[in-house]
Amino acid sequence: MRVNETILDHKALLIKAITAKESEYDSQFCMIRRPFHSPGYHTTLTAKDHPTTHPTYPSLLYAVGLLNTEMPAYEQRAYDIIGRLLSLQDRNPLNDTYGIWPWFYEEPLTQMAPPDWNWADFCGKELLLAVLRHGHKLPEALKEQMRESISIACDAIIKRNVGPHYTNIAIMGAFVTLIAGELYNRKDYADYGLERLVKLQQYTVKLGTFQEFNSPAYSIIAIVELSKIRKYALHPRAKDIAGELLDMVWRMVVEHYHPFSQQWAGPHSRSYSTLLTNKAKSFLQVATDNKLVFFASDDLEYDAEWFGSEIQCPKPYIDQFTRVEERELREPYYRNEETGFVKWAETYITPKYAIGVFTKEIMWNQTRGMVAYFDNGGQPTYLQMRCLHDGYDYCSAVLSVAASRSHLLLGINFLTNGGDTHPNLDRIQGRIEATDFRIRMEFGGCLERMNIEQKGAVALVQINGLPLRFESLYASFEGAEENQEHSGDINVSSTTAGWDWEWRKQGDTYGLDLVIYAGERQIIDFQAMDKAAFIFMLAIGDSVNDVPLILLEEEAEQVTARGVDNRADGSQQQLSISLKPNDQHPN
């Protein structure tokens, strides 16, 4: 990354981004056609049966981008796409899905499992932007149909009434209802949108951060949508709130940026890629007006959604992206007002590496509860802790962490009523079937200049000369003897000694694995288990040579790991986790 004073030409970048999609446009369907892709839930489609699909939201993004180029040759295509998308919205007020869209033309709402109500917000905002920016030239009949569609989307958003904890949708829904209310003189919509924005501001200020904490994907969405509110809202309070929240999210971004690996330090409440994508880097470059440069202008992955949104990193924060310093962050990112339970995020940043952890969190595929980034000779290497069920992140595994800078105690125990691939959409009901179940310390990014030495339950890794020490301290995965006939064939004797690590290369990553089970498909019955818990130690850098003695103790259905060294501040590193799987979600 380097500093540059060249000003970006947003219109040229937009036109380039739009013309690059020419081959994706399918004139027969008046939609974008792309290879099938999904996060693994909501849709029932598969790549085998539908190698390509026509996605709804990306098609609307494309239509608005076409209009934003202001090129007359693109106008009719944009109108055709919008007309097609209007026909796919559920307009039957008797349906639960009233006001939303399916993900794909090929999959009606009745086939989705379940439908995604966020699409009222996502698609609604694009239709609204088309009217705001280009209403003067839209065909009158289409313009009226868009007004009806936006109003129905507003009705769906208000009926669902997402709370302020769902950060990006809370912002997006506020934008759609507030701006639509002001545009169409619908006081009920405008009042709701402003009230929703006020609630988000009060909730976020009280917590001190966004509950979708430090999410590379959703922090960018929050910045884009809040920027639109600040630009298009007529109500001065809405503008002020948007500005206040923008300052808060930008401060969160810059505090977690690690300039040496050029990565967004963890932990991340929601993330779709452990390494920053080129689009995320392009966003940072665009938002700093090309003062932070990752790419030549021709190589930027410019998103048409950014055009005209007036996204801008506050000037005081731009220089902070290149700060050379050691720093620690400890922040609450969730608070249960009824029980007083608080979840904490901790980050430790040094020039050579940055490590971020949640003190207690589920291990689903969007969460990076323990993630570290290393400067590997100018290239980034990452380390992420995962629990995998048949190769996919297992939601009912719970990670607990006691961290003291670069020395960590890491525990995993299990829920009996959590999700499998998603926290809510596929509850396990206490049992799963598996051919493979393992805990993985995954290394990705630059895999050069790495060495590994295994000594049973201890693994020593070097990344560009920086040492890491992993130790499996405790491992237990067993059911009571009287329950064995109900607990499937998977049963491992309890031990206070850790299991041995296995080192393997898989695709473009390395895995330091603790294999719980691998074999024929079997049932794992967590409700029948007496003990299912694992504890590990991780030391990085100088702490590898100063590892404390860890004592382990089983008591009252808990296992506790406790360091016996005496710290200067009188503290003692300690981690306790439940032995028996239970329904105690970390919330």
Side-chain angles (χ1 to χ4, degrees), residues 52 93 99 117 120 133 204-205 219 240 243 249 324 335 340 377 386 420 428 459 477 497 533 547 561:
T52 63
W117 276 264
R133 296 171 177 170
T204 305
V205 169
S219 294
D240 289 343
V249 67
V324 179
R335 180 180 290 108
R386 306 175 70 186
D420 184 358
I428 65 168
F477 204 76
V547 175

Side-chain angles (χ1 to χ4, degrees), residues 355 370 383 406-408 410 468-470 536-540:
I355 185 165
M370 195 292 284
L383 163 64
S406 56
H407 185 270
L408 295 85
L410 307 160
L468 290 77
R469 175 188 171 97
F470 298 88
F536 310 92
M537 181 188 70
L538 166 61
I540 303 176

Side-chain angles (χ1 to χ4, degrees), residues 236-522:
R237 190 176 184 194
K239 289 182 176 291
D240 289 343
I241 291 173
E244 179 182 349
L245 293 175
L246 277 166
D247 186 82
M248 182 178 291
V249 67
W250 272 115
R251 186 170 66 251
M252 181 174 65
V253 174
V254 74
E255 284 179 342
H256 288 86
Y257 186 74
H258 185 233
F260 299 92
S261 64
Q262 296 189 16
Q263 295 299 310
W264 191 317
H268 309 136
S269 63
R270 300 185 69 185
S271 179
Y272 297 96
S273 172
T274 307
L275 290 174
L276 273 183
T277 63
N278 286 343
K279 181 168 285 187
K281 290 182 178 181
S282 296
F283 173 83
L284 293 176
Q285 184 166 336
V286 168
T288 59
D289 203 13
N290 216 33
K291 291 183 173 61
L292 300 181
V293 179
F294 299 91
F295 310 105
S297 294
D298 289 343
D299 297 324
L300 272 174
E301 289 193 20
Y302 191 85
D303 192 328
E305 178 81 354
W306 306 338
F307 182 80
S309 299
E310 296 185 0
I311 55 174
Q312 180 65 57
C313 176
K315 290 182 179 179
Y317 293 144
I318 292 177
D319 290 341
Q320 295 183 45
F321 275 104
T322 57
R323 287 180 303 179
V324 179
E325 64 178 11
E326 183 175 303
R327 61 186 182 272
E328 292 182 77
L329 304 169
R330 189 171 191 269
E331 306 164 87
Y333 68 99
Y334 171 87
R335 180 180 290 108
N336 187 316
E337 297 296 342
E338 295 181 359
T339 66
F341 175 72
V342 177
K343 294 198 286 191
W344 293 87
E346 298 180 359
T347 306
Y348 178 52
I349 293 178
T350 76
K352 291 184 178 180
Y353 63 91
I355 185 165
V357 299
F358 290 130
T359 55
K360 187 175 286 291
E361 192 55 88
I362 61 171
M363 299 181 72
W364 77 308
N365 74 319
Q366 289 188 32
T367 298
R368 304 294 185 269
M370 195 292 284
V371 63
Y373 297 98
F374 304 89
D375 175 10
N376 188 351
Q379 298 294 319
T381 298
Y382 75 77
L383 163 64
Q384 179 191 350
M385 189 173 183
R386 306 175 70 186
C387 181
L388 302 176
H389 169 204
D390 290 342
Y392 198 90
D393 298 272
Y394 184 55
C395 274
S396 286
V398 178
L399 172 65
S400 299
V401 182
S404 178
R405 293 195 170 192
S406 56
H407 185 270
L408 295 85
L409 293 175
L410 307 160
I412 293 180
N413 63 307
F414 299 93
L415 299 172
T416 54
N417 64 342
D420 184 358
T421 66
H422 188 279
N424 303 311
L425 301 182
D426 55 356
R427 298 280 185 173
I428 65 168
Q429 307 300 324
R431 297 154 63 98
I432 62 172
E433 293 185 4
T435 60
D436 191 276
F437 198 58
R438 67 182 60 215
I439 295 166
R440 170 170 292 174
M441 302 292 183
E442 180 178 279
F443 295 87
C446 179
L447 300 180
E448 299 176 4
R449 296 173 291 278
M450 286 186 62
N451 296 307
I452 174 72
E453 181 182 356
Q454 293 175 252
K455 298 178 180 179
V458 176
L460 303 175
V461 178
Q462 282 200 349
I463 301 175
N464 196 30
L466 181 74
L468 290 77
R469 175 188 171 97
F470 298 88
E471 186 170 353
S472 172
L473 300 174
Y474 179 93
S476 181
F477 204 76
E478 66 167 3
E481 291 184 4
E482 61 269 25
N483 292 329
Q484 290 307 300
E485 61 180 304
H486 303 295
S487 62
D489 294 337
I490 300 176
N491 181 60
V492 180
S493 296
S494 175
T495 175
T496 55
W499 295 349
D500 294 350
W501 296 100
E502 294 185 8
W503 181 254
R504 64 171 58 196
K505 189 174 191 300
Q506 186 169 358
D508 56 357
T509 65
Y510 283 132
L512 186 61
D513 291 355
L514 186 145
V515 181
I516 301 172
Y517 176 76
E520 297 293 325
R521 180 166 296 279
Q522 299 287 354

Side-chain angles (χ1 to χ4, degrees), residues 47-72:
K48 179 180 179 181
D49 295 331
H50 294 85
T52 63
T53 54
H54 297 85
T56 51
Y57 174 61
S59 295
L60 268 179
L61 280 175
Y62 178 59
V64 177
L66 291 169
L67 293 174
N68 286 342
T69 67
E70 298 182 308
M71 298 172 66

